[in-house]
């Protein structure tokens, strides 16, 4: 019998994240945490990973990410989930050193061979990143869940944050949008073979430019675009720095087939929840169509790095992306003084 992993998922990939407004409410109710002097990044900035300084030369970067299936192929699911988890390490400018597997599987529904393929897919990505899967934890659950705890190291003075952008910075996006739309089309059985190939190519491409970006003078802030969509993660950057973002929708790279589906009204439930959670902070030009708003809030699984850099660093940043195979990286807007909102024309 053929197994379709997405049939087990109420929401796949980063589309199964808790909505931003709900998450904020949950975190607001959490007790105050102990904040050691050497904790360089914690919960305060909604950043991509926690960072703890070991000494003047080294800091440890730690993150965890896991989700339910976004595709039916077990090996592809494992590859996507692992790539997505390691992305947070690269987004902080760090070099990954080790991973631990997080595994939750419905053992009465999935053959052991299928579960093994998921883990093999994740391990193959870790091997590509040059790190071992050194352990992990597994449980028997109702939905398949897979991901990683990822650890990395960075020099404290090379650490990239999401809250340190400056007025006048250029915004550069490393990967095209549209993964969520394609995943919704896949679940409806409408995604073409070419569209699926594009989806896999983007979601399994490691965000390796991160450490090189950290070495570029003029790179002020970086995050990766995942479940809250481009607008959501850009808003975190704006709020952290107290700046206003101005986006040019026509400059934003988008996967071709995702545009066609978005025009037809194909979207994830997470895209609608994202807009409900932060849409009041996004001003859309009246000339923009509803499908364009869908792409701005589209949840990206293993999405691209979003960089805020000085204008004179733009070409160096773009060259860094392109030298590592990110040909679609592009400037998409600027940050200016003003309220922490986004304007899109």
């Amino acid at each position: 019998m053929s197994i379709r992993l997405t049939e087990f998922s109420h929401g796949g990939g980063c589309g199964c994240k808790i909505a931003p407004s709900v998450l904020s409410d949950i975190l607001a109710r959490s007790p105050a945490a102990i904040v050691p002097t050497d904790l360089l990044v914690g919960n305060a900035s909604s950043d991509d990973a926690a960072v703890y300084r070991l000494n003047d030369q080294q800091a440890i970067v730690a993150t965890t990410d896991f989700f339910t299936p976004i595709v039916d192929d077990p090996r592809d699911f494992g590859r996507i989930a692992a790539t997505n988890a390691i992305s947070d390490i690269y987004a902080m400018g760090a070099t990954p050193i080790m991973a631990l597997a997080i595994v939750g599987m419905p053992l009465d529904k999935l053959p052991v061979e299928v579960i093994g393929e998921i883990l093999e897919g994740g391990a193959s990505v870790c091997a590509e990143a040059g790190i071992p899967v050194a352990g992990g934890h597994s449980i028997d659950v109702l939905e398949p869940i897979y991901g990683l705890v990822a650890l990395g190291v960075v020099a404290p003075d090379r650490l990239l944050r999401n809250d340190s952008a400056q007025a006048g910075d250029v915004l550069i996006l490393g990967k095209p949008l549209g993964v969520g739309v394609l995943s919704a089309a896949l679940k409806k059985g409408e995604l073409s073979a070419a569209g699926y190939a594009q989806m896999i190519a983007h979601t399994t491409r490691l965000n390796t430019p991160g450490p090189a970006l950290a070495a570029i003078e003029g790179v002020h802030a970086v995050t990766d675009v995942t479940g809250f969509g481009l607008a959501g993660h850009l808003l975190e950057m704006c709020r952290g720095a107290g700046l206003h973002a101005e986006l040019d929708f026509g400059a934003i790279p988008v996967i071709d087939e995702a545009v066609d589906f978005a025009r037809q009204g194909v979207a994830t439930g997470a895209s609608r929840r994202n807009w409900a959670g932060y849409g009041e902070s996004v001003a859309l030009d009246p000339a923009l169509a509803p499908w364009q708003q869908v792409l701005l809030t589209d949840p990206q699984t293993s999405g691209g790095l979003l960089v805020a850099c000085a204008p004179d660093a733009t070409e160096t940043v773009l060259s860094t992306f392109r030298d590592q195979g990110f040909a679609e990286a592009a400037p998409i807007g600027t940050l200016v003084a003003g309220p922490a909102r986004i304007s899109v024309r």
Side-chain angles (χ1 to χ4, degrees):
M1 182 179 67
S2 177
I3 298 291
R4 291 195 63 197
L5 289 179
T6 54
E7 290 181 350
F8 295 91
S9 304
H10 71 281
C14 286
C16 64
K17 271 189 173 182
I18 294 175
S21 57
V22 178
L23 181 59
S24 295
D25 187 43
I26 292 171
L27 293 176
R29 298 167 188 269
S30 300
I34 297 172
V35 183
T37 302
D38 288 317
L39 183 66
L40 302 182
V41 180
N43 285 333
S45 63
S46 300
D47 220 320
D48 297 300
V51 183
Y52 190 92
R53 178 172 47 209
L54 300 175
N55 50 55
D56 291 342
Q57 289 77 42
Q58 292 179 309
I60 190 85
V61 181
T63 186
T64 182
D65 212 311
F66 53 90
F67 45 63
T68 54
I70 187 175
V71 294
D72 291 316
D73 183 277
R75 186 175 176 82
D76 284 346
F77 171 42
R79 293 170 65 210
I80 293 167
T83 306
N84 181 72
I86 298 171
S87 178
D88 288 339
I89 300 297
Y90 290 126
M92 305 299 291
T95 299
I97 57 171
M98 183 175 70
L100 306 173
I102 300 169
V103 184
M105 296 290 156
L107 298 179
D108 60 335
K109 298 182 177 69
L110 286 184
V112 172
E113 293 78 12
V114 170
I115 298 171
E117 287 184 55
I118 294 170
L119 272 59
E120 288 170 10
S124 72
V125 165
C126 289
E128 183 182 346
I131 63 174
V133 179
H137 186 62
S138 60
I139 58 172
D140 186 1
V141 292
L142 298 177
E143 289 184 281
I145 296 170
Y146 176 70
L148 300 176
V149 173
L151 301 174
V153 291
V154 67
D157 61 354
R158 291 284 181 91
L159 176 64
L160 295 174
R161 302 177 59 115
N162 71 352
D163 62 353
S164 49
Q166 299 181 17
D169 277 354
V170 174
L171 293 167
I172 296 173
L173 181 62
K175 290 184 184 181
L177 303 181
V179 168
V181 169
L182 294 186
S183 72
L186 176 66
K187 203 157 189 178
K188 291 162 65 75
E190 298 176 0
L191 187 63
S192 71
Y196 183 80
Q198 283 189 308
M199 178 180 168
I200 297 302
H202 292 302
T203 55
T204 59
R205 182 182 301 161
L206 289 163
N207 276 321
T208 52
L213 293 172
I216 299 173
E217 186 175 356
V219 170
H220 297 140
V222 175
T223 190
D224 63 342
V225 179
T226 55
F228 298 155
L230 172 62
H233 291 283
L234 177 54
L235 274 172
E236 290 179 340
M237 187 178 281
C238 290
R239 289 165 179 163
L243 297 172
H244 185 93
E246 297 179 341
L247 292 183
D248 176 3
F249 187 89
I252 298 172
V254 182
I255 300 170
D256 292 341
E257 196 158 330
V259 173
D260 296 335
F261 281 118
R263 287 179 182 272
Q264 298 168 34
V266 175
T268 66
S271 179
R272 291 185 285 272
R273 291 194 298 273
N274 283 343
W275 184 253
Y278 57 68
E280 62 183 16
S281 297
V282 182
L284 301 177
D285 188 295
L288 295 177
W291 66 267
Q292 292 170 301
Q293 178 239 292
V294 165
L295 287 168
L296 291 169
T297 59
D298 188 48
Q300 303 306 289
T301 300
S302 187
L305 296 179
L306 178 64
V307 181
C309 68
D312 59 6
T314 300
E315 287 307 315
T316 303
V317 170
L318 288 173
S319 295
T320 299
F321 272 116
R322 290 166 184 164
D323 288 348
Q324 297 196 36
F326 292 77
E328 292 166 291
I332 62 170
T334 56
L335 290 168
V336 298
R341 294 173 55 84
I342 300 172
S343 297
V344 190
R345 65 180 188 278

